[in-house]
Amino acid sequence: MKIIDAHNHPDWHGHNLERFIANMDQYGISKTWLFSWECERNEYSEGTETVIPAPVLGSMTGPIPFTRCLSYVERNPERFILGYAPDARDPQASRKLKAAHDIYGAKCCGEVKCRVMYDNPDCLRLFRTAGDLGMPVTLHFDYDFQPTLNHPRTEWWGGTIDTLENVLKACPDTTFLGHAPGFWVHISDDDIWKTARYPKPGTPVVREGRIPKLLRKYPNLYCDISAGSGNLALSRDPEYAVEFLTEFQDRICYARDYFDNVHQTFLNSLNLPQEILQKIYAGNAEKLVH
Ligand SMILES: [Zn+2]
């Protein structure tokens, strides 16, 4: 079966190009969408310094510079799809995105991860430009929580699930992929998002969360199942996962944001029809980027 990883990063978690390709080969992944990450220096997640290229490179553009994505694609164009997302607050962001598309052949706009409500005018201008260029936009969401003595720092990204709905409504000609804890917690209609980034494994889904409702209402929303958040949202309730993946089989993309194989292990355990698996593993990603 053809497999595309629709979310990963260059030089991430100790992987150089050779180790990255070896890891893709190990898990049967033929292509990976490679994303940059631009945000302010003081916004970097705690501990991120050890898993991103920026500190070594002295990058001024964010934790994962576009130039690293470009380096991988130029050295191995067969295996990587070029992604780029400028810091969405930059008034020049649209022009930067167009330059990355026109000059370097960037095909997707990811990962958008900055400490701003994504429905503000600068963000919407960037997202509309991405739509005009045929580039799907991958959005990272995380909720803010009150800091505690043990965890004095707090971080949030993108806004709320209502912010996402505003974005979907404001940019009907742009395709968005929802990603990260603040998105996936809404697979379920419960209040976990008010107190925790992740549900406890095995917490059943309370039907109908905001995600299925938004998917039915907005044809421009897709789901990126990468990382612990995507895996946990599905694996917390495998029975519901089958219903969800079946109903939205045309809108879910396999993705990792890391180098493990938990998503394949889980997807393959569900006994889904091959036709559905093929769409999730590669068909939907190919529909968005070709
Ligand atoms: Zn992310």
Side-chain angles (χ1 to χ4, degrees), residues 130-171:
D132 290 345
L133 296 169
M135 302 168 81
V137 179
T138 299
L139 300 175
H140 182 114
F141 283 97
D142 252 309
Y143 281 97
D144 184 35
F145 295 108
Q146 291 305 310
T148 64
L149 274 180
N150 286 336
H151 296 282
R153 237 195 114 200
T154 171
E155 62 181 83
W156 63 272
W157 307 96
T160 69
I161 194 73
D162 292 319
T163 312
L164 172 60
E165 178 155 16
N166 293 341
V167 168
L168 293 167
K169 207 184 291 178
C171 309

Side-chain angles (χ1 to χ4, degrees), residues 22-37:
N23 178 273
M24 288 169 68
D25 289 344
Q26 182 182 353
Y27 297 123
I29 294 164
S30 57
K31 280 181 193 272
T32 293
W33 293 9
L34 266 190
F35 290 160
S36 66
W37 174 14

Side-chain angles (χ1 to χ4, degrees), residues 57-212:
L57 300 169
S59 164
M60 301 300 285
T61 57
I64 307 179
F66 171 65
T67 47
R68 298 308 302 149
C69 301
L70 184 61
S71 167
Y72 276 46
V73 173
E74 287 181 341
R75 284 181 287 161
N76 202 328
E78 299 299 312
R79 303 298 293 273
F80 296 104
I81 304 278
L82 186 60
Y84 174 53
D87 187 320
R89 288 161 294 200
D90 185 341
Q92 303 298 324
S94 285
R95 288 194 182 91
K96 287 180 169 181
L97 186 71
K98 187 161 167 23
H101 172 275
D102 292 353
I103 301 169
Y104 299 108
K107 290 187 159 62
C108 33
C109 180
E111 156 176 18
V112 176
K113 183 176 181 180
C114 41
R115 206 166 164 125
V116 63
M117 305 297 275
Y118 293 150
D119 57 356
N120 85 23
D122 290 317
C123 296
L124 296 180
R125 189 180 314 114
L126 172 68
F127 301 156
R128 289 185 182 121
T129 300
D132 290 345
L133 296 169
M135 302 168 81
V137 179
T138 299
L139 300 175
H140 182 114
F141 283 97
D142 252 309
Y143 281 97
D144 184 35
F145 295 108
Q146 291 305 310
T148 64
L149 274 180
N150 286 336
H151 296 282
R153 237 195 114 200
T154 171
E155 62 181 83
W156 63 272
W157 307 96
T160 69
I161 194 73
D162 292 319
T163 312
L164 172 60
E165 178 155 16
N166 293 341
V167 168
L168 293 167
K169 207 184 291 178
C171 309
D173 299 323
T174 305
T175 300
F176 295 91
L177 291 109
H179 150 74
F183 172 74
W184 277 113
V185 76
H186 291 291
I187 194 168
S188 178
D189 185 24
D190 54 41
D191 288 339
I192 291 171
W193 62 273
K194 292 180 181 167
T195 55
R197 286 183 81 209
Y198 299 98
K200 287 201 174 66
T203 310
V205 165
V206 180
R207 289 155 171 74
E208 290 279 316
R210 291 287 297 279
I211 293 178

